[in-house]
Amino acid sequence: MPEPWGEQHQPQAVPWVTAAGNQHPPGASAALTQGSGEGFSVCQDVKDFAPEQLSVKMVGRKVVLVGQKETQSTDEKGSFSYKYEVLKREWDVPEEVDAEALTCSLSKEGQLRIEAPRLALPAAPERNVPIQVSPAAPQPGPASEDGATHKAQV
């Protein structure tokens, strides 16, 4: 006997995993710029998510982006559908990048840019480094008054 409220749709959690282990839905893309001397920069397509559905966190030396959204609808026959989408991406922040200065910006086109500058290395003052001279190792055999050693002749 069919159920009076129509066909039910159960939410499914299906992760999409890249070879690097990052999870993202089909169509999501990221462009990463690292090691170029400019610092850390990543751009992620999040146009399917509203700003309040996104969160960006630093966990140790990782940047974690999470997007979550739910949609529910009922069609003209009274069928109910429920959809739950999750986007989760992680990127390692290199040691030479200032993770404390990490910033995020969202463009009107739905591109989320996460950036951090390269750490400023302190200017090393110039200094002379003294050269240490090791004392000569003592030589076997008798020494003369001038410090030269002589071998006994047979």
Side-chain angles (χ1 to χ4, degrees), residues 3 8 25 30 53 70 85 94-96 98 105-106 133 141 146:
E3 297 178 11
Q8 282 190 337
Q53 297 170 327
E70 298 179 48
E85 291 181 73
E95 291 294 325
E96 66 271 8
D98 185 359
S105 59
L106 183 60
V133 179
D146 66 356

Side-chain angles (χ1 to χ4, degrees), residues 50-57 64-68 87 89 104 112 114:
E52 59 273 6
Q53 297 170 327
L54 298 168
S55 72
V56 177
K57 296 180 184 176
V64 180
L65 164 66
V66 176
Q68 298 180 15
L87 164 70
R89 294 293 311 263
C104 297
L112 181 71
I114 305 169

Side-chain angles (χ1 to χ4, degrees), residues 36-116:
S36 63
E38 300 300 316
F40 175 84
S41 178
V42 69
C43 188
Q44 176 70 47
D45 181 0
V46 293
K47 65 179 169 264
D48 294 335
F49 294 88
E52 59 273 6
Q53 297 170 327
L54 298 168
S55 72
V56 177
K57 296 180 184 176
M58 280 295 300
V59 181
R61 297 291 301 174
K62 285 188 181 292
V63 177
V64 180
L65 164 66
V66 176
Q68 298 180 15
K69 79 174 183 176
E70 298 179 48
T71 53
Q72 300 177 14
S73 63
T74 306
D75 68 11
E76 57 277 348
K77 296 178 187 176
S79 293
F80 176 79
S81 71
Y82 176 82
K83 185 177 179 182
Y84 183 72
E85 291 181 73
V86 175
L87 164 70
K88 182 175 182 186
R89 294 293 311 263
E90 295 182 356
W91 298 274
D92 290 321
V93 178
E95 291 294 325
E96 66 271 8
V97 169
D98 185 359
E100 295 297 316
L102 192 81
T103 60
C104 297
S105 59
L106 183 60
S107 74
K108 290 178 183 176
E109 295 80 27
Q111 299 297 311
L112 181 71
R113 181 170 297 280
I114 305 169
E115 298 176 301

Side-chain angles (χ1 to χ4, degrees), residues 14-18 21-26 86 88:
V14 181
W16 292 272
V17 182
T18 65
N22 294 325
Q23 296 181 7
H24 59 91
V86 175
K88 182 175 182 186

Side-chain angles (χ1 to χ4, degrees), residues 25-37:
S29 64
L32 180 62
T33 306
Q34 282 182 314
S36 63

